[in-house]
Amino acid sequence: MDLSKYTSFKELPKSYWIASTENTNYPAFSQDMKIDVVIIGGGLVGIQCAYFLKKEGLKVALLEANRIGSGTTGYTTAKITSQHGLIYSKIKNQMGEELARQYAEANESAIGEYKKIAEENNIECDYIPQSSFIYTQDDSYIQKISDEVDAASRLGIKASYVEEIPFPIPIKAAIRFDNQAQFHPLKYITALAKTIPDNDCHIFEESRAITIDEEGSNYIITTEQGSKIIAKIVIIASHYPFYNKPGMYYARIYQERSYVLAVKAKEKYPGGMYINAEDPTRSLRHQPHLNGELILVGGEHHKTGQGKDTTKHYEALVDFAKDIFTIDDILFRWSTQDCMTVDGIPYVGYFNPNTPNLYIATGFQKWGMTNSMVSAMLIRDLIVKGKSPWQDVYNPSRKTILASAKDFVVQNLNVAEQLIDGKLSPVPDDVDVKAGEGRIVMVDGKRAGAYKNEKGNLHLVNTTCTHMGCELNWNSAERTWDCPCHGSRFTYDGKIIEGPATKHLSFSNDVNTFKKLLQEDF
């Protein structure tokens, strides 16, 4: 079959989860308020935190910068699995068996909690039990697979070593985890969100938090519109923390993008969820769709803002898919953003040891489904009980991070290189871009981003990231400006897509007006 029409990518990417779910319409935050708990971020972590804390009798207000589930939650592959790559042997070797056991128990518990919440609230979210597999085609990974099976089994996970998977992929070895699951994350989160408003609990959309200030024993959260909430407890569940006070999260997290196709194939999907152990990453699962099914083909990854031609990643997935399936159609494609920590374990708990009422959940790597549920349960327990059985392995201030000092240095050297290269790289001194093209140009001796849409309309932005001053790069697949340092992303007309930036870019359609804006910026 000729797949050229699927690799031209003239249409912008679109997430199946978002396209198949009705839009939410919660009010924007407009009046000052005092409340028990403020949650910043309306993804899986934020909504589940609000759900648990409301059940504990606390008054909760949730602030979402866009719409519920419109961030990373709406762009996942939605595998509810404790199988997070070859992680258990790594944690056991680097952090000890007790912390590895905490991580295993936490993520196995999360799988069952999703099922429990869906059943208790009559949520139809395509929850389907599945087995989950990691396979390898590389001889050097066979022993690693065997070690992972042993480590996971010792920690109480139902894991087994297998030598075949039901695809025409010649493998060397694989791990199978039973009692895992998949679901539709937007059907789940939008239904769960409906249980929160009332009894002095609130959800506010289009309400971006931009500052957190301390006032005695309280925190004051100010939104983009200028309204303020005073709260005793604050939970930062905004994916990447926008709050840069002591904690140094911008130096301990980096962001990666990865890609997904949703294909219709002639072959029936055999069941299970699959991912390989080596690079380049390849992931497979299915999803019920109308009277048939979609097959989600995922993989590829690179640091945000550092992919040279992002359309090539979609093309690579098309090549992989057509080697396995007879493709009838490619109905959706999307990419996602993941926060990566230097030691591979999320940061969940107290923002730092001196902030007993400020909490954070971030750095889920590629495994946000179970880790988001773990985060909500862990933070609930810290707030209500003062402790959690999993707090040590997830502790954002854990001493074991020092074991990853090399990765810490490498990632921060990369940020420094991107900052310097962005300022010094040569730039053409004109704005003569072609229709459909985006690139860096010079305007009055200053760097700017120029994009011209298919109708020939010009869009100019200041490409200096409003977070910490790195220079943005053009993402051709998404038509966005992406930060290569800390992963903030902006639309072609300068609006924030995802943080940590909290301020939009200067923008104009007119060169002369844009020159005046640049003078104000500098």
Side-chain angles (χ1 to χ4, degrees), residues 165-448:
I165 57 174
F167 297 103
I169 301 173
I171 72 166
K172 303 289 185 178
I175 307 166
R176 172 176 174 152
F177 277 20
D178 290 326
N179 305 321
Q180 314 291 292
Q182 64 182 51
F183 75 149
H184 188 305
L186 266 290
K187 287 183 179 179
Y188 170 82
I189 195 175
T190 54
L192 190 62
K194 291 177 181 177
T195 70
I196 295 166
D198 73 27
N199 297 329
D200 293 321
C201 291
H202 313 269
I203 292 177
F204 299 106
E205 294 184 319
E206 303 291 345
S207 303
R208 183 181 301 279
I210 57 172
T211 62
I212 302 175
D213 297 299
E214 295 182 55
E215 185 180 79
S217 60
N218 292 321
Y219 291 96
I220 301 175
I221 295 84
T222 304
T223 66
E224 194 172 33
Q225 294 87 348
S227 301
K228 300 178 186 296
I229 300 184
I230 298 174
K232 176 81 64 182
I233 298 168
V234 176
I235 301 169
I236 300 175
S238 56
H239 190 55
Y240 191 112
F242 69 97
Y243 183 66
N244 279 334
K245 294 293 174 69
M248 295 283 289
Y249 286 95
Y250 64 86
R252 298 195 280 140
I253 299 172
Y254 61 97
Q255 302 210 64
E256 283 193 353
R257 296 200 68 72
S258 55
Y259 299 79
V260 184
L261 304 175
V263 309
K264 294 277 286 184
K266 293 189 183 301
E267 296 85 356
K268 182 172 175 55
Y269 190 81
M273 307 181 296
Y274 305 82
I275 193 168
N276 62 332
E278 62 271 23
D279 280 333
T281 306
R282 297 291 180 260
S283 167
L284 293 164
R285 64 154 282 196
H286 90 293
Q287 171 63 32
H289 174 65
L290 300 177
N291 295 321
E293 64 182 7
L294 295 174
I295 299 172
L296 306 189
V297 181
E300 300 286 295
H301 65 92
H302 61 85
K303 288 191 75 172
T304 302
Q306 298 185 32
K308 298 306 180 184
D309 181 355
T310 46
T311 59
K312 298 297 183 184
H313 299 291
Y314 286 116
E315 291 171 2
L317 293 181
V318 171
D319 290 340
F320 173 74
K322 69 183 183 183
D323 286 342
I324 300 173
F325 306 107
T326 306
I327 299 175
D328 282 335
D329 208 347
I330 301 178
L331 298 183
F332 300 91
R333 66 184 174 100
W334 65 91
S335 64
T336 193
Q337 187 138 306
D338 297 300
C339 286
M340 316 294 285
T341 66
V342 293
D343 65 356
I345 307 297
Y347 304 135
V348 183
Y350 301 113
F351 187 87
N352 72 47
N354 300 315
T355 59
N357 291 318
L358 181 62
Y359 299 86
I360 191 167
T362 188
F364 298 158
Q365 309 290 104
K366 313 288 183 180
W367 308 106
M369 298 302 96
T370 52
N371 273 315
S372 63
M373 179 66 80
V374 170
S375 298
M377 292 191 287
L378 192 159
I379 290 173
R380 173 202 58 196
D381 288 349
L382 290 179
I383 291 171
V384 175
K385 303 175 183 177
K387 61 182 180 179
S388 162
W390 313 318
Q391 67 188 69
D392 293 337
V393 68
Y394 284 96
N395 183 357
S397 302
R398 55 188 176 266
K399 295 179 181 179
T400 52
I401 294 174
L402 294 175
S404 303
K406 180 180 177 182
D407 288 333
F408 175 89
V409 171
V410 168
Q411 295 306 328
N412 283 282
L413 280 175
N414 177 260
V415 169
E417 289 168 359
Q418 293 298 323
L419 178 60
I420 294 169
D421 288 351
K423 303 295 184 185
L424 299 181
S425 57
V427 176
D429 193 15
D430 66 74
V431 292
D432 185 24
V433 295
K434 301 174 184 176
E437 180 185 23
R439 62 184 174 90
I440 303 294
V441 298
M442 278 290 187
V443 176
D444 266 6
K446 298 179 176 65
R447 293 173 61 92

Side-chain angles (χ1 to χ4, degrees), residues 28-247:
F29 178 64
S30 58
Q31 289 187 314
D32 292 356
M33 174 186 293
K34 188 170 185 179
I35 204 157
D36 295 335
V37 183
V38 171
I39 299 169
I40 301 170
L44 278 167
V45 176
I47 294 296
Q48 291 174 150
C49 276
Y51 173 77
F52 285 137
L53 293 175
K54 180 184 177 182
K55 290 183 71 174
E56 296 290 340
L58 292 167
K59 297 177 176 64
V60 178
L62 182 146
L63 300 175
E64 164 54 40
N66 193 343
R67 294 291 176 189
I68 296 301
S70 63
T72 300
T73 296
Y75 294 88
T76 176
T77 52
K79 298 176 179 179
I80 306 175
T81 178
S82 59
Q83 190 183 74
H84 301 169
L86 305 179
I87 196 168
Y88 294 104
S89 56
K90 176 183 174 182
I91 300 175
K92 183 170 171 287
N93 291 336
Q94 292 186 357
M95 303 171 72
E97 186 162 329
E98 172 53 31
L99 295 187
R101 188 176 304 282
Q102 286 185 26
Y103 192 85
E105 290 177 353
N107 284 279
E108 283 282 285
S109 297
I111 299 170
E113 193 68 21
Y114 273 110
K115 188 173 188 293
K116 177 184 174 184
I117 290 174
E119 289 176 346
E120 287 180 350
N121 294 279
N122 297 312
I123 297 174
E124 294 293 334
C125 58
D126 303 336
Y127 184 99
I128 302 172
Q130 296 282 6
S131 293
S132 187
F133 298 79
I134 304 173
Y135 68 89
T136 184
Q137 296 178 283
D138 186 333
D139 286 328
S140 67
Y141 277 82
I142 296 174
Q143 187 59 51
K144 295 176 183 178
I145 294 282
S146 180
D147 291 344
E148 184 69 6
V149 171
D150 180 63
S153 298
R154 286 172 59 90
L155 298 172
I157 296 172
K158 191 174 180 182
S160 56
Y161 183 96
V162 297
E163 296 181 337
E164 292 181 348
I165 57 174
F167 297 103
I169 301 173
I171 72 166
K172 303 289 185 178
I175 307 166
R176 172 176 174 152
F177 277 20
D178 290 326
N179 305 321
Q180 314 291 292
Q182 64 182 51
F183 75 149
H184 188 305
L186 266 290
K187 287 183 179 179
Y188 170 82
I189 195 175
T190 54
L192 190 62
K194 291 177 181 177
T195 70
I196 295 166
D198 73 27
N199 297 329
D200 293 321
C201 291
H202 313 269
I203 292 177
F204 299 106
E205 294 184 319
E206 303 291 345
S207 303
R208 183 181 301 279
I210 57 172
T211 62
I212 302 175
D213 297 299
E214 295 182 55
E215 185 180 79
S217 60
N218 292 321
Y219 291 96
I220 301 175
I221 295 84
T222 304
T223 66
E224 194 172 33
Q225 294 87 348
S227 301
K228 300 178 186 296
I229 300 184
I230 298 174
K232 176 81 64 182
I233 298 168
V234 176
I235 301 169
I236 300 175
S238 56
H239 190 55
Y240 191 112
F242 69 97
Y243 183 66
N244 279 334
K245 294 293 174 69

Side-chain angles (χ1 to χ4, degrees), residues 482-511:
D482 298 356
C483 178
C485 294
H486 304 106
S488 294
R489 299 179 63 238
F490 304 81
T491 62
Y492 59 76
D493 56 357
K495 299 292 190 299
I496 298 168
I497 298 172
E498 49 196 319
T502 59
K503 182 181 177 183
H504 305 299
L505 304 175
S506 296
F507 161 77
S508 181
N509 295 118
D510 175 74
V511 175

